Amino acid sequence: HMMKKMKENMPAGSVPKELDIAIKRLEAGEDPEKIEEDMGEADLNRLAQFFREEMTRQLLESGKYQIVDQAGEGVVRVRTAITGVKPNKPAWNQTNVTRLTGIGLGSASMEGEIIDTSDGERVLTFVVYRPANRFSLAATSEWGSTEEILSYWALRLRQAADNRWISERSVW
């Protein structure tokens, strides 16, 4: 199996936990497709948590907003879903020349809505897609560009809130 060869070629102690778990699952006879699906789901869950943390940080750092768990007057619910991610291929992005081609760059897509909890009205809906920035060093790690994109979207949502959601017509 390819995962075993990868592990054999890595220095001792440097094998990522996820790879080690996947190899053990393979050795136990589990379906390789199921293992790969679970690994992808784990990445998506981690990225979703990253976005929640970025969104919370943006709102709290602005000093204008509170994070609450009760509906009411002046409270909105932010619902988002990462609908697609493409990781970078870090080995292809080590030089400016190869990064500029865009071949090994990732991307992300997300959809969401902002709902006024006092009346259930939808304040804003969005569907966004963004490719990785060719000039960013985030492209040199597998999920660096995706995290950079998610951080940008958290900032844009905060800016939309600052502008009372008028920014829905702006570029995301």
Side-chain angles (χ1 to χ4, degrees):
H1 288 97
M2 189 161 158
M3 284 192 258
K4 278 187 177 181
K5 287 187 186 245
M6 285 173 53
K7 183 177 178 180
E8 290 168 4
N9 292 326
M10 297 177 104
S14 69
V15 178
K17 181 180 175 186
E18 296 84 10
L19 178 60
D20 199 39
I21 290 169
I23 291 169
K24 287 177 182 161
R25 289 176 64 186
L26 274 173
E27 289 170 344
E30 285 192 50
D31 178 21
E33 287 182 19
K34 173 70 173 134
I35 295 168
E36 187 175 314
E37 183 180 304
D38 289 349
M39 288 176 75
E41 191 172 314
D43 283 330
L44 274 178
N45 288 337
R46 187 188 63 72
L47 291 167
Q49 179 63 32
F50 175 85
F51 180 73
R52 274 191 298 278
E53 290 168 2
E54 282 295 293
M55 188 75 226
T56 300
R57 183 182 63 77
Q58 282 291 335
L59 292 170
L60 293 177
E61 282 182 3
S62 76
K64 301 176 184 178
Y65 308 100
Q66 297 176 32
I67 306 299
V68 298
D69 59 4
Q70 298 291 318
E73 191 65 36
V75 176
V76 296
R77 175 173 288 124
V78 178
R79 296 176 52 185
T80 60
I82 298 171
T83 55
V85 291
K86 178 182 166 193
N88 293 318
K89 293 184 173 37
W92 295 0
N93 296 319
Q94 297 304 315
T95 69
N96 289 337
V97 173
T98 56
R99 209 168 36 247
L100 285 174
T101 66
I103 294 172
L105 295 176
S107 62
S109 57
M110 173 185 281
E111 60 185 56
E113 62 182 0
I114 311 298
I115 299 172
D116 183 332
T117 63
S118 64
D119 60 12
E121 288 291 315
R122 188 176 292 137
V123 177
L124 173 73
T125 61
F126 58 92
V127 176
V128 288
Y129 165 82
R130 193 169 181 89
N133 179 347
R134 293 174 190 223
F135 302 104
S136 173
L137 291 178
T140 60
S141 73
E142 184 178 26
W143 295 110
S145 293
T146 303
E147 290 174 352
E148 189 172 71
I149 292 165
L150 295 174
S151 293
Y152 173 77
W153 286 337
L155 170 66
R156 296 297 291 141
L157 279 170
R158 203 242 26 246
Q159 290 171 337
D162 290 349
N163 293 313
R164 301 224 188 256
W165 310 108
I166 295 170
S167 296
E168 65 185 278
R169 294 180 200 94
S170 66
V171 176
W172 287 64

